[in-house]
Amino acid sequence: DAGVIQSPRHEVTEMGQEVTLRCKPISGHDYLFWYRQTMMRGLELLIYFNNNVPIDDSGMPEDRFSAKMPNASFSTLKIQPSEPRDSAVYFCASSFASGINSYNEQFFGPGTRLTVL
Amino acid sequence: ELKVEQNPLFLSMQEGKNYTIYCNYSTTSDRLYWYRQDPGKSLESLFVLLSNGAVKQEGRLMASLDTKARLSTLHITAAVHDLSATYFCAVDRLTSGTYKYIFGTGTRLKVLA
């Protein structure tokens, strides 16, 4: 398996522009997570999906952020409009955690490094 | 509220030495995870601890879980430079059919030659 795939790997944009980050989870996984990592705030869970349904978006910083998962193999995180304080590394992770005695070991993608000028 | 605290936050140690990283969490959880992150890289799963008293070992790293004390430890034996990385613990708690998944602050480990 190729693992979790994220694109783009690097994104540089100007303040006010729309940014879309993409994620393809590991095939068969039923949970998908979006994280943001900065030096100041560490690793923050933004939102997660179970079977394509958003379960907890309490970590989404504000209305400028939105996430979708139209099918089991694709998710997007959109920032509109972007601001310099959104500069961070954004990770997508997936897991399979729905069986009996299941647990939630997450597999992370390589991340997207976002710079908003 | 589920909180996860790690200490120390930074650790600089000599090669060949032993040390322990501690992970405390605030509410009942029977499942604890350890991840490793190399500088500029993604996170990689190291250990999954699923019950009280669980112990897992991989090379020079050994993780254990005490659910009664709400404490997990990651013990490093005879450290080598390749272990330099940031180590995160995380816990999850299933409540009303949904997970609450919280990462600790991370411990940045530097092993000096």
Side-chain angles (χ1 to χ4, degrees), chain A residues 31 33 35 45 48 95-98 101-106, chain B residues 1-4 23 25-35 47-51 65 67 89-95 98-104:
Chain A
Y31 281 82
F33 303 79
Y35 291 90
L45 175 62
Y48 78 88
S95 68
F96 176 71
S98 295
N101 299 322
S102 66
Y103 52 89
N104 209 331
E105 181 185 20
Q106 297 185 16
Chain B
E1 182 183 357
L2 181 55
K3 292 184 179 179
V4 181
C23 174
Y25 53 97
S26 60
T27 61
T28 303
S29 176
D30 290 333
R31 297 164 345 164
L32 190 131
Y33 310 83
W34 283 97
Y35 293 85
F47 300 111
V48 180
L49 303 170
L50 298 176
S51 60
L65 178 62
T67 58
C89 64
V91 299
D92 68 8
R93 185 181 180 190
L94 188 61
T95 304
T98 65
Y99 282 102
K100 208 65 179 174
Y101 201 97
I102 306 294
F103 275 83

Side-chain angles (χ1 to χ4, degrees), chain B residues 2-27:
Chain B
L2 181 55
K3 292 184 179 179
V4 181
E5 295 182 346
Q6 287 181 238
N7 69 83
L9 297 183
F10 300 96
L11 176 57
S12 180
M13 57 190 298
Q14 297 289 329
E15 276 193 330
K17 298 293 187 182
N18 304 333
Y19 209 85
T20 300
I21 298 171
Y22 298 89
C23 174
N24 291 89
Y25 53 97
S26 60
T27 61

